[in-house]
Amino acid sequence: MTQLRVSCFSISLDGFAAGPEQSLENPMGLNGMEIHDWVFPTATFQQRVLGTQGGETGTDDDFVVRGFENVGAWILGRNMFGPVRGPWQDEEWKGWWGDSPPFHAPVFVLTHHARDPIEMAGGTTFHFVTEGIHVALERAKEAANGMDVRLGGGVATLQQYLRAQLVDELHLAITPALLGAGEHLFADIDMRALGYQCVERSATDRATHVVLQRRR
């Protein structure tokens, strides 16, 4: 059965998944890149996202590998696609990832403003969904063709899916960075009441990995 999964979602020690003031220069907000220090050195990130060889193996890399396994489609919030706000002023912006994004699958971007699909190299096509989270999930599940759907964020999008009890599994990488401000993942979210429990945890030098699953 197709599951909606969140994988490799980094948060700071004080619970923030992004810093304030997101911009083209600071795509994760001020100091926000610090919470991703655990993933950058991994072999899978180096190869899959940067297109380079090398990198570290081990527990951190194992979680990155798991994050890409059996994923047939993705869902992203508008802010995860780019810093552009409001109506699309032009068709120039095609995401943060260059001509060959690391998804290699259909990606459904939640937005209030319609836009034609964008077909990229490597099998990624961005589809823009204006009808809300349930329609995006329906379309993503259909595109996944029996595989899982990975929910990439950001925080507001993840919170909507959590409140709707649609996320089956959530992998968090809790990092030792302190951001102090930004987008707090668990703001007004009662994970216990929503039925989530921790089923796995593992600590490395760079992160503490926890996997939460929703009881059915």
Side-chain angles (χ1 to χ4, degrees), residues 20-183:
E21 301 180 37
Q22 184 197 34
S23 66
L24 187 61
E25 295 74 24
N26 294 291
M28 296 302 299
L30 296 177
N31 304 314
M33 295 301 283
E34 293 179 12
I35 64 174
H36 300 284
D37 284 347
W38 72 273
V39 72
F40 296 144
T42 63
T44 302
F45 182 88
Q46 293 286 322
Q47 295 164 17
R48 178 109 185 188
V49 179
L50 301 182
T52 60
Q53 299 301 311
E56 300 177 4
T57 57
T59 299
D60 289 333
D61 186 61
D62 290 344
F63 275 99
V64 182
V65 171
R66 285 168 54 175
F68 285 107
E69 287 177 340
N70 196 45
V71 173
W74 291 66
I75 296 173
L76 301 179
R78 169 78 179 264
N79 290 2
M80 287 292 292
F81 179 73
V84 182
R85 301 292 184 268
W88 303 100
Q89 299 299 322
D90 54 52
E91 302 284 316
E92 292 299 317
W93 182 262
K94 298 179 180 180
W96 301 102
W97 306 275
D99 294 331
S100 184
F103 306 104
H104 308 298
V107 179
F108 296 87
V109 180
L110 288 158
T111 176
H112 295 295
H113 303 279
R115 182 174 176 178
D116 291 334
I118 306 173
E119 187 172 344
M120 308 291 285
T124 298
T125 299
F126 293 110
H127 302 272
F128 299 89
V129 182
T130 59
E131 298 93 344
I133 64 171
H134 291 88
V135 170
L137 182 55
E138 289 173 6
R139 292 183 60 186
K141 282 184 173 182
E142 182 179 0
N145 194 28
M147 300 173 73
D148 290 340
V149 176
R150 179 167 166 180
L151 177 59
V155 171
T157 298
L158 180 49
Q159 287 177 336
Q160 289 183 68
Y161 278 100
L162 285 171
R163 290 191 180 101
Q165 295 181 294
L166 295 171
V167 178
D168 297 293
E169 182 176 281
L170 172 65
H171 162 227
L172 298 175
I174 305 167
T175 65
L178 292 168
L179 294 186
E183 298 182 36

Side-chain angles (χ1 to χ4, degrees), residues 183-199:
E183 298 182 36
H184 201 285
L185 177 60
F186 296 121
D188 300 319
I189 297 284
D190 186 340
M191 293 294 285
R192 187 183 185 95
L194 291 172
Y196 290 92
Q197 61 182 351
C198 181
V199 297

Side-chain angles (χ1 to χ4, degrees), residues 196-211:
Y196 290 92
Q197 61 182 351
C198 181
V199 297
E200 182 182 354
R201 60 187 176 88
S202 181
T204 70
D205 290 341
R206 295 191 177 98
T208 298
H209 300 275
V210 296
V211 178

